[in-house]
Amino acid sequence: MKNVPLFVGIGMISILVVLMLFGPYLPFVDNELVEVKHRWSENKRLELPPYPPSKHNWLGSDKNGVDLLSKIVMGAKETLLIVLSISLLRYAVGVPLGLLARHKKGVSHLIVNSLNQVFSFIPTILAAILLLSFPPIQNSQHRLFFAVGILAFIEVGRVAQVMAERANQIGKEEYIEAGNALGLSPRRMARSYYLPALAPEVIVNFCIDLGKAMLLIGQLGVLQIFLQHVWVEVNFFTPKYLNTSLNWSALLAEHRKEVLSSRFGFVFYPAAFIAFSILAFNLLGEGLRRRLKQGNHIAG
């Protein structure tokens, strides 16, 4: 039986990788994001932005005349790097913490339980809003780095708990008991026994967590919370936070108020690319899960 989710997921991820690496060099992409304040139509009529979809702007333009497709393509690399950074940091902390907590006792177990108890009662999106709203983080020049750390930290307890439960099950295997009987050090046991056994589950869960991280930043965009911004005065004595990023979450946040207007494309297209990415990561994770499960059955 063919593993359809795996092949579809790989195909969709390939599209994202192409956008990320080669998008700015595609011939139909304006990598300088030039503002076209006016132009003449084929009927020699003056047109003002936003421009409708046409051969000049496949998805139309924003209010400043910047091509929407180009903005989305130019924001792909930043968006995917943010999501990848969140997930990598989450697992870089969660996996070792879970291994240390596998015996269900000690300081590591207490930390994992505490993180789970705190963030199991608070919805992830609400916890993200609360932490990102702290004034030192709100006004920091390095807000993006803080945002990545916060969004990773919120889910560290869940990752560590999953790893701890799985490591505890692995610890009951005969080859683990043999390693303990030989007096192998905890570090060698982790490197030579636990991590190889945990690797398939880590890979599958990591792919699925990429989708969760993408969903989380998309939710922040809908709520008009920027991952990166500056505090500026836009009119006389009218200060506000101004977006300085092209990631898809920021594009959602910029145009959230226009979701009910005729300019639905401002919100629809970045939301569609976010949904496409979430589906791609989840299909890849499910496909890998089936593949690894099938491999285990064959080995058994």
Side-chain angles (χ1 to χ4, degrees), residues 209-251:
D209 263 33
L210 289 170
K212 291 181 179 179
M214 181 68 78
L215 175 61
L216 183 56
I217 68 170
Q219 290 172 326
L220 290 172
V222 170
L223 296 173
Q224 210 170 11
I225 297 174
F226 298 113
L227 299 179
Q228 190 173 6
H229 58 218
V230 292
W231 182 252
V232 297
E233 186 175 314
V234 291
N235 292 312
F236 291 110
F237 308 108
T238 310
K240 66 179 290 186
Y241 287 113
L242 186 66
N243 172 47
T244 58
S245 173
L246 281 175
N247 67 72
W248 298 338
S249 171
L251 297 181

Coordinates of all heavy atoms in Angstrom, one line a residue, residues 209-251:
D209 N 5.1 19.2 15.1 CA 5.3 20.5 15.9 C 5.6 21.7 15.0 O 5.3 22.8 15.4 CB 6.4 20.3 16.9 CG 5.8 19.9 18.3 OD1 4.7 19.2 18.3 OD2 6.3 20.3 19.3
L210 N 6.2 21.4 13.8 CA 6.4 22.5 12.9 C 5.1 23.1 12.5 O 4.9 24.3 12.4 CB 7.2 22.0 11.6 CG 8.6 21.7 11.8 CD1 9.2 21.0 10.6 CD2 9.5 23.0 12.1
G211 N 4.1 22.2 12.2 CA 2.7 22.7 11.9 C 2.1 23.4 13.1 O 1.4 24.5 12.9
K212 N 2.3 23.0 14.3 CA 1.8 23.6 15.5 C 2.4 25.0 15.7 O 1.7 26.0 16.0 CB 2.0 22.8 16.8 CG 1.2 21.5 16.8 CD 1.5 20.7 18.1 CE 0.6 19.5 18.1 NZ 0.9 18.7 19.4
A213 N 3.7 25.1 15.4 CA 4.4 26.4 15.5 C 3.9 27.4 14.5 O 3.6 28.6 14.7 CB 5.9 26.3 15.4
M214 N 3.6 26.9 13.3 CA 3.1 27.7 12.2 C 1.7 28.2 12.6 O 1.3 29.4 12.3 CB 3.1 26.9 10.9 CG 2.5 27.7 9.7 SD 3.6 29.1 9.2 CE 4.9 28.2 8.3
L215 N 0.9 27.3 13.1 CA -0.5 27.7 13.5 C -0.4 28.7 14.6 O -1.2 29.7 14.6 CB -1.2 26.4 14.0 CG -2.6 26.7 14.6 CD1 -3.6 27.3 13.6 CD2 -3.2 25.4 15.2
L216 N 0.5 28.6 15.5 CA 0.6 29.6 16.6 C 0.9 31.0 16.2 O 0.3 31.9 16.6 CB 1.6 29.1 17.7 CG 1.8 29.9 18.9 CD1 0.5 30.1 19.7 CD2 2.9 29.3 19.8
I217 N 1.9 31.1 15.3 CA 2.3 32.4 14.8 C 1.1 33.0 13.9 O 0.9 34.2 13.8 CB 3.6 32.4 14.0 CG1 3.6 31.7 12.7 CG2 4.7 31.9 14.9 CD1 4.8 31.9 11.9
G218 N 0.4 32.1 13.2 CA -0.8 32.5 12.4 C -1.8 33.1 13.3 O -2.5 34.1 13.0
Q219 N -2.1 32.4 14.5 CA -3.1 32.9 15.4 C -2.6 34.3 16.0 O -3.5 35.2 16.2 CB -3.2 31.9 16.6 CG -3.9 30.7 16.2 CD -3.9 29.6 17.3 OE1 -2.9 29.5 18.1 NE2 -5.0 28.8 17.4
L220 N -1.4 34.5 16.2 CA -0.9 35.8 16.7 C -1.1 36.8 15.7 O -1.4 38.0 16.0 CB 0.6 35.7 17.1 CG 1.0 34.8 18.3 CD1 2.5 34.6 18.4 CD2 0.4 35.5 19.6
G221 N -0.9 36.5 14.4 CA -1.2 37.4 13.3 C -2.6 37.8 13.3 O -2.9 39.0 13.1
V222 N -3.5 36.9 13.4 CA -5.0 37.2 13.4 C -5.3 38.2 14.5 O -6.2 39.0 14.4 CB -5.8 35.9 13.5 CG1 -7.3 36.2 13.7 CG2 -5.6 35.1 12.2
L223 N -4.6 38.0 15.7 CA -4.9 38.9 16.8 C -4.0 40.2 16.7 O -4.0 40.9 17.7 CB -4.5 38.1 18.1 CG -5.4 36.9 18.4 CD1 -4.9 36.1 19.6 CD2 -6.9 37.4 18.6
Q224 N -3.4 40.4 15.6 CA -2.6 41.6 15.3 C -1.5 41.8 16.3 O -1.2 42.9 16.8 CB -3.5 42.8 15.3 CG -3.1 43.9 14.4 CD -4.1 45.0 14.3 OE1 -5.1 45.1 15.0 NE2 -3.9 45.9 13.3
I225 N -0.8 40.7 16.6 CA 0.4 40.8 17.4 C 1.6 40.5 16.6 O 1.8 39.4 16.0 CB 0.3 39.7 18.6 CG1 -0.9 40.1 19.5 CG2 1.6 39.7 19.4 CD1 -1.1 39.1 20.6
F226 N 2.5 41.4 16.4 CA 3.7 41.3 15.6 C 4.8 40.6 16.3 O 5.0 40.8 17.5 CB 4.2 42.7 15.1 CG 3.2 43.4 14.3 CD1 2.6 44.6 14.7 CD2 2.9 43.0 13.0 CE1 1.7 45.3 14.0 CE2 2.0 43.7 12.2 CZ 1.4 44.9 12.7
L227 N 5.6 39.8 15.6 CA 6.7 39.2 16.2 C 7.9 40.1 16.2 O 8.9 40.0 17.0 CB 7.1 37.9 15.5 CG 6.0 36.8 15.4 CD1 6.5 35.6 14.6 CD2 5.7 36.4 16.9
Q228 N 7.8 41.1 15.4 CA 8.9 42.1 15.3 C 8.3 43.5 14.9 O 7.5 43.5 13.9 CB 9.9 41.7 14.2 CG 11.2 42.5 14.2 CD 12.2 41.9 13.3 OE1 11.9 40.9 12.5 NE2 13.4 42.5 13.2
H229 N 8.6 44.5 15.6 CA 8.0 45.8 15.3 C 8.9 46.9 16.0 O 9.8 46.7 16.7 CB 6.6 45.9 15.8 CG 6.4 45.7 17.3 ND1 5.3 45.0 17.9 CD2 7.2 46.0 18.4 CE1 5.5 44.9 19.2 NE2 6.6 45.6 19.5
V230 N 8.5 48.2 15.6 CA 9.2 49.3 16.2 C 8.1 50.3 16.6 O 7.0 50.3 16.1 CB 10.1 50.0 15.2 CG1 11.3 49.2 14.9 CG2 9.4 50.4 13.9
W231 N 8.4 51.1 17.6 CA 7.5 52.1 18.2 C 7.7 53.4 17.5 O 8.8 54.0 17.6 CB 7.7 52.2 19.7 CG 6.7 53.1 20.4 CD1 7.1 54.3 20.9 CD2 5.4 53.0 20.7 NE1 6.0 54.9 21.6 CE2 4.9 54.1 21.4 CE3 4.4 51.9 20.4 CZ2 3.6 54.2 21.9 CZ3 3.1 52.1 20.8 CH2 2.7 53.2 21.6
V232 N 6.8 53.9 16.7 CA 7.0 55.1 15.9 C 5.8 56.0 16.0 O 4.7 55.6 16.4 CB 7.2 54.8 14.4 CG1 8.5 54.0 14.2 CG2 6.0 54.1 13.8
E233 N 6.0 57.3 15.7 CA 4.9 58.3 15.6 C 4.5 58.4 14.2 O 5.2 59.0 13.4 CB 5.4 59.6 16.2 CG 4.3 60.6 16.4 CD 4.8 61.9 17.1 OE1 5.5 61.8 18.1 OE2 4.5 63.0 16.5
V234 N 3.3 58.0 13.9 CA 2.8 58.0 12.5 C 2.1 59.3 12.1 O 2.2 59.7 11.0 CB 1.8 56.8 12.3 CG1 2.6 55.5 12.3 CG2 0.7 56.8 13.2
N235 N 1.5 59.9 13.1 CA 0.9 61.2 12.9 C 1.3 62.1 14.0 O 2.0 61.7 14.9 CB -0.7 61.1 12.7 CG -1.1 60.4 11.5 OD1 -0.6 60.7 10.4 ND2 -2.0 59.5 11.6
F236 N 0.8 63.3 14.1 CA 1.1 64.2 15.2 C 0.6 63.6 16.5 O -0.6 63.4 16.7 CB 0.5 65.6 15.0 CG 1.2 66.3 13.9 CD1 0.5 66.6 12.7 CD2 2.5 66.8 14.0 CE1 1.1 67.3 11.7 CE2 3.1 67.5 13.0 CZ 2.4 67.7 11.8
F237 N 1.5 63.2 17.4 CA 1.2 62.7 18.7 C 0.4 61.4 18.6 O -0.5 61.2 19.5 CB 0.5 63.7 19.6 CG 1.2 65.0 19.7 CD1 0.8 66.2 19.0 CD2 2.4 65.1 20.4 CE1 1.5 67.4 19.0 CE2 3.1 66.3 20.4 CZ 2.6 67.5 19.8
T238 N 0.6 60.6 17.6 CA -0.1 59.4 17.5 C 0.9 58.2 17.3 O 1.2 57.8 16.2 CB -1.1 59.4 16.2 OG1 -1.9 60.5 16.3 CG2 -2.0 58.1 16.2
P239 N 1.5 57.8 18.4 CA 2.4 56.7 18.3 C 1.7 55.3 18.1 O 0.6 55.1 18.6 CB 3.2 56.8 19.6 CG 2.2 57.4 20.6 CD 1.3 58.3 19.7
K240 N 2.4 54.4 17.5 CA 1.9 53.1 17.3 C 3.0 52.1 17.0 O 4.1 52.5 16.6 CB 0.8 53.0 16.2 CG 1.4 53.3 14.8 CD 0.3 53.2 13.8 CE -0.1 51.8 13.5 NZ -1.1 51.6 12.4
Y241 N 2.8 50.8 17.2 CA 3.8 49.8 16.8 C 3.6 49.6 15.3 O 2.6 49.3 14.7 CB 3.5 48.5 17.5 CG 3.9 48.6 19.0 CD1 3.0 48.5 20.0 CD2 5.2 48.7 19.3 CE1 3.3 48.5 21.3 CE2 5.6 48.8 20.7 CZ 4.7 48.7 21.6 OH 5.0 48.7 23.0
L242 N 4.8 49.7 14.6 CA 4.8 49.5 13.2 C 5.6 48.2 12.8 O 6.7 48.0 13.3 CB 5.5 50.7 12.5 CG 5.5 50.7 11.0 CD1 4.1 50.9 10.4 CD2 6.4 51.9 10.5
N243 N 5.0 47.4 12.0 CA 5.6 46.1 11.6 C 6.8 46.4 10.8 O 6.9 47.3 9.9 CB 4.6 45.3 10.8 CG 5.2 44.1 10.1 OD1 5.9 43.4 10.8 ND2 4.9 43.9 8.9
T244 N 7.9 45.6 11.0 CA 9.1 45.7 10.3 C 9.5 44.4 9.6 O 10.6 44.2 9.3 CB 10.3 46.2 11.2 OG1 10.4 45.2 12.3 CG2 10.0 47.5 11.8
S245 N 8.5 43.5 9.5 CA 8.8 42.2 9.0 C 7.9 41.8 7.8 O 6.8 42.4 7.6 CB 8.6 41.2 10.1 OG 8.7 39.8 9.6
L246 N 8.3 40.8 7.0 CA 7.5 40.3 5.9 C 6.9 38.9 6.2 O 6.4 38.3 5.3 CB 8.3 40.3 4.6 CG 8.5 41.7 3.9 CD1 9.4 41.5 2.7 CD2 7.2 42.2 3.4
N247 N 7.1 38.4 7.4 CA 6.7 37.0 7.6 C 5.1 37.0 7.5 O 4.5 38.0 7.6 CB 7.1 36.5 9.0 CG 6.5 37.2 10.1 OD1 5.3 37.0 10.4 ND2 7.3 38.0 10.8
W248 N 4.6 35.8 7.2 CA 3.2 35.7 6.9 C 2.3 36.1 8.0 O 1.2 36.6 7.9 CB 2.9 34.3 6.4 CG 3.6 33.9 5.2 CD1 4.1 34.7 4.2 CD2 4.0 32.6 4.7 NE1 4.8 34.0 3.2 CE2 4.7 32.7 3.5 CE3 3.7 31.3 5.2 CZ2 5.1 31.6 2.8 CZ3 4.2 30.2 4.5 CH2 4.9 30.4 3.3
S249 N 2.8 35.8 9.3 CA 2.0 36.3 10.4 C 1.9 37.8 10.5 O 0.8 38.3 10.8 CB 2.7 35.8 11.7 OG 2.1 36.4 12.9
A250 N 3.0 38.5 10.1 CA 2.9 40.0 10.1 C 2.0 40.5 9.0 O 1.3 41.5 9.2 CB 4.4 40.5 9.9
L251 N 2.0 39.8 7.8 CA 1.1 40.2 6.8 C -0.4 40.1 7.2 O -1.3 40.9 6.9 CB 1.3 39.4 5.5 CG 2.7 39.6 4.9 CD1 2.8 38.7 3.6 CD2 3.0 41.0 4.6

